Amino acid sequence: MVAAAASLALGIKTEGIKEGWYDGGSIALAVIIVIVVTAVSDYKQSLQFQNLNEEKQNIQIEVVRGGRRIPVSIFDVVVGDVVPLKIGDQVPADGILISGQSLALDESSMTGESKIVRKDSKSPFLMSGCKVADGYGMMLVVGVGINTEWGLLMASITEDNGEETPLQVRLNGVATFIGIVGLTVALLVLIVLMIRFFTGHTYKPDGSPQFTAGKTKVGKAVDGAIKIFTIAVTIVVVAVPEGLPLAVTLTLAYSMRKMMADKALVRRLSACETMGSATTICSDKTGTLTLNQMTVVEAYISGKKIDPPDDRSEVPPTVLSLLHEGVGLNTTGSVFVPQGGAAVEISGSPTEKAILQWGLNLGMNFDAVRSEASIIHAFPFNSEKKRGGVAVKLDSEVHLHWKGAAEIVLSCCTSFIDENGSVVPLGDDKMSFFKEAIGNMAASSLRCVAIAYRPYEVEKVPTEEEIDHWEIPEGDLILLAIVGIKDPCRPGVRDAVQLCIDAGVKVRMVTGDNLQTARAIALECGILRSDADATEPNLIEGKRFRAMSEEDRKNVADKISVMGRSSPNDKLLLVQALRSNGHVVAVTGDGTNDAPALHEADIGLAMGIAGTEVAKESSDIIILDDNFASVVKVVRWGRSVYANIQKFIQFQLTVNVAALIINVVAAVTAGDVPLNAVQLLWVNLIMDTLGALALATEPPTDHLMRRNPVGRREPLVTNIMWRNLLIQALYQVSVLLVLNFRGKQILHLEHETSARAIEVKNTLIFNAFVFCQVFNEFNARKPDEMNVFKGVLRNRLFVSIVGLTVVLQVIIIFFLGKFTSTVRLSWQLWLVSIVIGVISWPLAVLGKLIPVPEKPFSEYFSEKLLKRRNRQECS
């Protein structure tokens, strides 16, 4: 704007207001266009971030309306809704506890106190925003939105979305460095041109000096100095790469929007780019690698296999009655029977739904079972103990029901009920029979769950005051049933795993399931290649890994492909071991106890469907469909972010280097520049704003997934980019400087007036330079591939921007000559400028045949310096 003001003053002074405003006005207009385009782009991206942030807060919860559990958005909860709560949930509104077992809340987000608060009839008030730490219950909503404690608190706070990612910080540094270089060069040019001007070495088109000491008027000298100042400012304009930060914002916003369409909601911006560097993914099994659509397909009751598993006629009445009781009461799920004979609706976790469906098939009446008994205490299922239990009071007796991992519950059993309905001791032969049954089911990739119970003396049950601290006895249990639940592999998961392997990313399965079940699924998914791979340490049990020393864990971590019967703490230990070995670790998790591992990992991926709110809060990205294929898409997009930024840097630096060298060499040698302020502002618009839009929105390609992950400390400008950049810059500088110094002779302009010849030559240089950038944009699309046009038609925005650039260039030359100091060119000269641009394409392709060392140049030079320093120290 300073250059525009100076040019405007100079133009009006020398040529009058009618003709003299063109130069200054053009610069001002060009600057305004650049500002408006950049501001609109930035504003649109900030709106996208805002929309994604609102999506982040849109939690899906279950409410009970008309006796039926239905999923609703947290924004649609109303006063009077009944909300079921379980471990890991976030309390969605202010409410009162109606019923619950062992319910405990983490109220630290509201009170700042980190202790867990128990909730019961004496302390029934629940505040929104708090997390359920233990137990389960039902809450009546009494306040929503701004009328809640949390709402009042949030109304006074605004969330800061100005998070800068590591890549943005690095690029801001690069932009600042290039800007300083440009400013230094501009300052040197200013000094050189001033010296040339005031010593009489700057000439007019007719060959006479522009300044002669003692003869030139002060006004004319000031005009010349202002012109020189404008040239220096123009060099700064070209050198400062303001498009770099814009390119990052664009590519991050574009990637986030597209990732949302690919079922991944980004919670932390930095995760976008970190995901491109991931070297290993520690994935859950259930729901991520499998469909999470469970059905009971095998059952062992009364010491024998029941086939089909829901054949009531083969189950003794005593066992049937106890199974109805255990399945119906020891659950956090529910059954709703609609009027009019419609299908029964079952809600709960997939495992709970499968067992409840099996119970219904065995003739269970859910509502009757719940009304005939009362739950006096519950031990909710947790992933550490892998089992859950309830104590229930019937008319005059108390039953303790347990359900959980088959081999763990079986080890707590001392007897079972035989075919006659009699309780008999669990001898070695029967114990071996059940263990073998579990092994066979696990080998068939079935999840094995055991159901057991024991009667309990009423007098031993603690009083109401003490019952909260009562640990339900889990020994001397009577085995009722062992069931095998089928959870099929997701379609396409094997291809997704193979894609990761090809991309240099190792997939590890970390599951709480039986080791044999995990092994079978891992073989099916391709995580384990063959039975030969299914040996320790490739296949390891959580407790075995946990028992190792820290050093042993580090040594064995790299080899682990499958970890079975793992607790969340084992997952955390594995993540720590892998990270200390230099891996960039992505971890999937859904449970509350997965939060530490999600937080510790470089990228935490929470499950959108099965994940608890605690897990989601600790994650960086939420996988909305719980599908492993979506995790692989996130890796793809992460790599795309990094690749797009590198493409733009290569394009930007080529233009910067070429424009700077051309103007500096011309200014220092001839005292004038071939590319003036308005022309360079137009190039700046193509280069910075339009270039960022075109290259930052390139979709990811399969080629990205055939590379190894980008290292954490790998330089932004790789050796391949340096090669491409130098070849292009060298070509552009050589051709355009030859035109600048020998243009008159080459273009046969000797018969033209000197002023006209300079105008034609400079217009050709400007036109050729723009067409070089158009083809350079294509070259930058594929820095390491020969076919730079591959897939170009799929990116409509890129094609539109290139088309728009060419159309605007034609308009500038033909209709806006007065504003841009250009003249109309003959069709032959148009052809010359287009050919100069086109040649840059085959040159770039041929340049890719030149081999470059894999080690970054910076590393090579630092090693050389280190060796020299060592030699000096030695001598």
Side-chain angles (χ1 to χ4, degrees):
M1 291 309 267
V2 170
S7 284
L8 201 60
L10 177 66
I12 292 168
K13 181 176 173 292
T14 53
E15 296 173 46
I17 196 156
K18 198 173 180 184
E19 295 284 326
W21 70 273
Y22 289 136
D23 269 8
S26 305
I27 295 172
L29 186 66
V31 171
I32 289 163
I33 289 169
V34 171
I35 290 169
V36 168
V37 172
T38 310
V40 168
S41 291
D42 264 347
Y43 177 65
K44 284 178 81 173
Q45 303 329 312
S46 71
L47 279 183
Q48 280 187 19
F49 289 133
Q50 207 173 312
N51 294 340
L52 286 167
N53 199 50
E54 283 172 14
E55 192 62 43
K56 200 161 67 180
Q57 294 164 350
N58 184 12
I59 300 164
Q60 292 295 314
I61 61 164
E62 276 192 336
V63 298
V64 179
R65 290 179 183 169
R68 172 186 294 180
R69 283 198 195 190
I70 56 167
V72 298
S73 160
I74 194 166
F75 300 131
D76 298 332
V77 174
V78 293
V79 172
D81 273 337
V82 173
V83 181
L85 298 171
K86 59 183 185 302
I87 294 179
D89 283 353
Q90 180 177 309
V91 180
D94 282 1
I96 294 173
L97 183 68
I98 303 170
S99 65
Q101 294 297 329
S102 313
L103 188 68
L105 260 58
D106 174 3
E107 293 186 344
S108 56
S109 59
M110 286 301 299
T111 62
E113 297 287 329
S114 57
K115 66 178 184 181
I116 303 300
V117 182
R118 295 268 163 200
K119 294 292 173 183
D120 51 31
S121 55
K122 291 174 187 156
S123 172
F125 296 102
L126 311 177
M127 289 186 286
S128 66
C130 300
K131 308 284 190 306
V132 179
D134 197 10
Y136 53 86
M138 301 288 267
M139 173 188 97
L140 176 69
V141 175
V142 296
V144 294
I146 198 73
N147 299 314
T148 64
E149 292 292 320
W150 179 253
L152 288 169
L153 181 69
M154 293 314 283
S156 60
I157 301 169
T158 54
E159 190 173 344
D160 177 26
N161 292 321
E163 172 202 8
E164 276 206 328
T165 73
L167 191 59
Q168 279 175 311
V169 173
R170 279 172 79 183
L171 279 174
N172 285 341
V174 170
T176 306
F177 173 72
I178 296 170
I180 290 167
V181 169
L183 201 62
T184 310
V185 169
L187 206 61
L188 287 170
V189 168
L190 184 68
I191 293 164
V192 169
L193 288 183
M194 286 292 187
I195 292 168
R196 281 182 65 102
F197 180 76
F198 287 109
T199 55
H201 289 87
T202 306
Y203 303 101
K204 294 175 187 174
D206 59 7
S208 61
Q210 286 185 9
F211 179 86
T212 309
K215 291 182 181 178
T216 307
K217 291 179 182 176
V218 175
K220 290 278 184 188
V222 170
D223 293 349
I226 289 172
K227 222 167 193 174
I228 290 167
F229 172 73
T230 309
I231 290 168
V233 169
T234 307
I235 288 170
V236 176
V237 167
V238 173
V240 175
E242 65 269 29
L244 273 181
L246 174 68
V248 187
T249 311
L250 278 168
T251 194
L252 283 171
Y254 172 75
S255 301
M256 282 175 75
R257 193 173 75 246
K258 291 291 184 182
M259 281 162 87
M260 190 73 187
D262 278 343
K263 305 294 180 191
L265 170 63
V266 178
R267 294 188 74 253
R268 289 189 183 86
L269 265 181
S270 54
C272 274
E273 59 201 54
T274 313
M275 202 63 193
S277 304
T279 56
T280 185
I281 300 171
C282 298
S283 174
D284 280 342
K285 176 186 77 70
T286 308
T288 310
L289 296 167
T290 62
L291 277 169
N292 220 4
Q293 292 171 1
M294 301 193 186
T295 44
V296 173
V297 293
E298 283 192 35
Y300 288 82
I301 301 172
S302 301
K304 64 175 185 177
K305 184 176 180 180
I306 305 294
D307 196 14
D310 49 11
D311 186 353
R312 273 184 267 178
S313 61
E314 290 196 45
V315 184
T318 325
V319 178
L320 200 59
S321 169
L322 288 166
L323 277 173
H324 289 171
E325 205 177 287
V327 170
L329 295 167
N330 187 14
T331 182
T332 52
S334 70
V335 176
F336 176 74
V337 183
Q339 292 177 344
V344 173
E345 292 172 20
I346 303 171
S347 57
S349 71
T351 310
E352 294 280 16
K353 282 156 84 172
I355 293 171
L356 282 169
Q357 184 61 62
W358 178 66
L360 292 172
N361 295 349
L362 286 172
M364 175 185 73
N365 183 330
F366 183 78
D367 291 333
V369 167
R370 301 285 283 197
S371 60
E372 286 165 9
S374 60
I375 298 170
I376 50 177
H377 192 55
F379 176 83
F381 178 89
N382 76 49
S383 44
E384 287 287 345
K385 287 206 161 188
K386 310 240 177 271
R387 58 190 179 276
V390 288
V392 298
K393 191 171 190 303
L394 289 97
D395 295 333
S396 56
E397 51 187 339
V398 171
H399 286 174
L400 310 180
H401 286 279
W402 283 93
K403 177 178 74 185
E407 68 271 29
I408 293 173
V409 173
L410 181 63
S411 66
C412 300
C413 294
T414 52
S415 51
F416 75 104
I417 300 175
D418 66 10
E419 293 175 61
N420 304 317
S422 311
V423 176
V424 292
L426 200 57
D428 290 343
D429 56 335
K430 274 296 172 192
M431 185 61 92
S432 302
F433 168 77
F434 285 124
K435 281 183 177 174
E436 192 182 328
I438 292 167
N440 292 338
M441 286 193 285
S444 305
S445 69
L446 300 186
R447 167 174 275 196
C448 304
V449 175
I451 299 165
Y453 103 109
R454 66 172 277 190
Y456 198 67
E457 296 83 352
V458 178
E459 57 275 9
K460 284 190 181 177
V461 176
T463 60
E464 205 172 318
E465 288 76 29
E466 299 167 346
I467 201 154
D468 275 347
H469 307 289
W470 181 41
E471 291 210 358
I472 302 172
E474 49 189 45
D476 294 331
L477 300 182
I478 299 165
L479 183 68
L480 296 175
I482 296 174
V483 295
I485 301 172
K486 180 74 176 167
D487 184 13
C489 258
R490 281 186 181 273
V493 79
R494 193 178 180 90
D495 295 337
V497 169
Q498 188 55 50
L499 203 61
C500 283
I501 293 165
D502 294 342
V505 181
K506 184 172 173 68
V507 180
R508 305 167 203 271
M509 183 200 288
V510 184
T511 177
D513 258 349
N514 183 303
L515 198 59
Q516 292 310 310
T517 309
R519 175 184 174 278
I521 292 285
L523 284 165
E524 203 177 326
C525 294
I527 293 171
L528 292 173
R529 293 301 183 89
S530 63
D531 286 328
D533 289 345
T535 53
E536 200 170 302
N538 274 2
L539 189 73
I540 197 167
E541 205 162 352
K543 62 181 179 186
R544 171 107 174 75
F545 182 71
R546 197 184 318 145
M548 292 178 179
S549 67
E550 191 176 336
E551 198 55 43
D552 288 343
R553 282 201 294 268
K554 274 190 196 178
N555 294 335
V556 88
D558 278 353
K559 298 168 189 168
I560 294 171
S561 294
V562 177
M563 189 187 284
R565 279 288 174 248
S566 70
S567 67
N569 194 47
D570 300 332
K571 189 187 273 190
L572 177 63
L573 291 172
L574 178 63
V575 170
Q576 287 169 339
L578 288 167
R579 288 192 76 204
S580 62
N581 286 347
H583 284 284
V584 178
V585 186
V587 168
T588 70
D590 51 18
T592 304
N593 295 339
D594 286 330
L598 289 168
H599 192 72
E600 178 72 21
D602 295 283
I603 313 106
L605 303 157
M607 296 298 117
I609 300 168
T612 61
E613 281 313 308
V614 174
K616 289 175 190 174
E617 290 270 317
S618 303
S619 70
D620 303 301
I621 296 171
I622 298 170
I623 305 298
L624 299 172
D625 62 352
D626 292 15
N627 191 345
F628 184 76
S630 299
V631 176
V632 180
K633 284 176 187 169
V634 172
V635 175
R636 214 173 134 100
W637 278 110
R639 292 187 176 194
S640 177
V641 166
Y642 206 82
N644 285 352
I645 296 301
Q646 287 186 315
K647 289 170 191 176
F648 180 70
I649 289 172
Q650 181 185 306
F651 174 66
Q652 170 114 48
L653 289 182
T654 308
V655 187
N656 272 9
V657 169
L660 263 180
I661 294 173
I662 291 163
N663 266 10
V664 168
V665 171
V668 172
T669 54
D672 203 359
V673 288
L675 299 168
N676 67 26
V678 181
Q679 291 168 357
L680 282 176
L681 280 165
W682 166 231
V683 171
N684 200 48
L685 183 68
I686 300 172
M687 177 175 82
D688 277 346
T689 315
L690 297 178
L693 262 172
L695 292 168
T697 54
E698 274 282 306
T701 60
D702 293 337
H703 178 74
L704 287 173
M705 293 302 280
R706 287 194 286 272
R707 292 188 202 164
N708 282 330
V710 178
R712 279 177 199 267
R713 289 173 182 82
E714 203 166 296
L716 269 174
V717 184
T718 63
N719 293 355
I720 288 171
M721 288 164 68
W722 277 120
R723 178 196 64 196
N724 299 346
L725 188 155
L726 292 171
I727 288 169
Q728 280 297 309
L730 203 64
Y731 165 70
Q732 290 179 25
V733 168
S734 306
V735 171
L736 299 182
L737 282 180
V738 165
L739 281 175
N740 188 51
F741 294 116
R742 290 282 174 268
K744 276 188 187 178
Q745 293 84 344
I746 295 167
L747 302 172
H748 307 298
L749 299 172
E750 293 94 340
H751 60 283
E752 300 277 1
T753 62
S754 184
R756 169 74 184 169
I758 288 170
E759 278 181 339
V760 171
K761 178 200 72 173
N762 285 355
T763 303
L764 178 67
I765 289 172
F766 168 55
N767 210 28
F769 188 61
V770 168
F771 277 103
C772 279
Q773 303 332 315
V774 168
F775 283 94
N776 187 24
E777 221 160 335
F778 282 99
N779 296 334
R781 281 186 72 243
K782 309 276 181 185
D784 53 353
E785 287 183 63
M786 288 296 192
N787 185 1
V788 295
F789 297 106
K790 186 180 176 185
V792 73
L793 295 175
R794 283 202 295 273
N795 188 350
R796 288 178 187 170
L797 185 62
F798 182 90
V799 175
S800 306
I801 285 170
V802 169
L804 181 70
T805 306
V806 172
V807 168
L808 288 175
Q809 181 64 14
V810 172
I811 291 169
I812 283 168
I813 301 293
F814 273 96
F815 305 108
L816 301 174
K818 277 190 175 179
F819 296 97
T820 55
S821 306
T822 56
V823 292
R824 291 190 179 188
L825 298 173
S826 64
W827 68 266
Q828 291 96 334
L829 291 181
W830 268 99
L831 195 62
V832 168
S833 49
I834 292 168
V835 167
I836 290 170
V838 169
I839 290 171
S840 70
W841 160 58
L843 198 71
V845 173
L846 289 170
K848 286 170 188 173
L849 297 172
I850 301 169
V852 289
E854 282 186 23
K855 192 184 287 185
F857 290 132
S858 55
E859 210 174 294
Y860 175 76
F861 290 126
S862 60
E863 276 181 18
K864 280 255 191 191
L865 284 169
L866 194 65
K867 280 179 185 173
R868 188 181 295 169
R869 199 178 297 143
N870 288 344
R871 277 201 300 273
Q872 286 169 351
E873 283 174 8
C874 288
S875 61

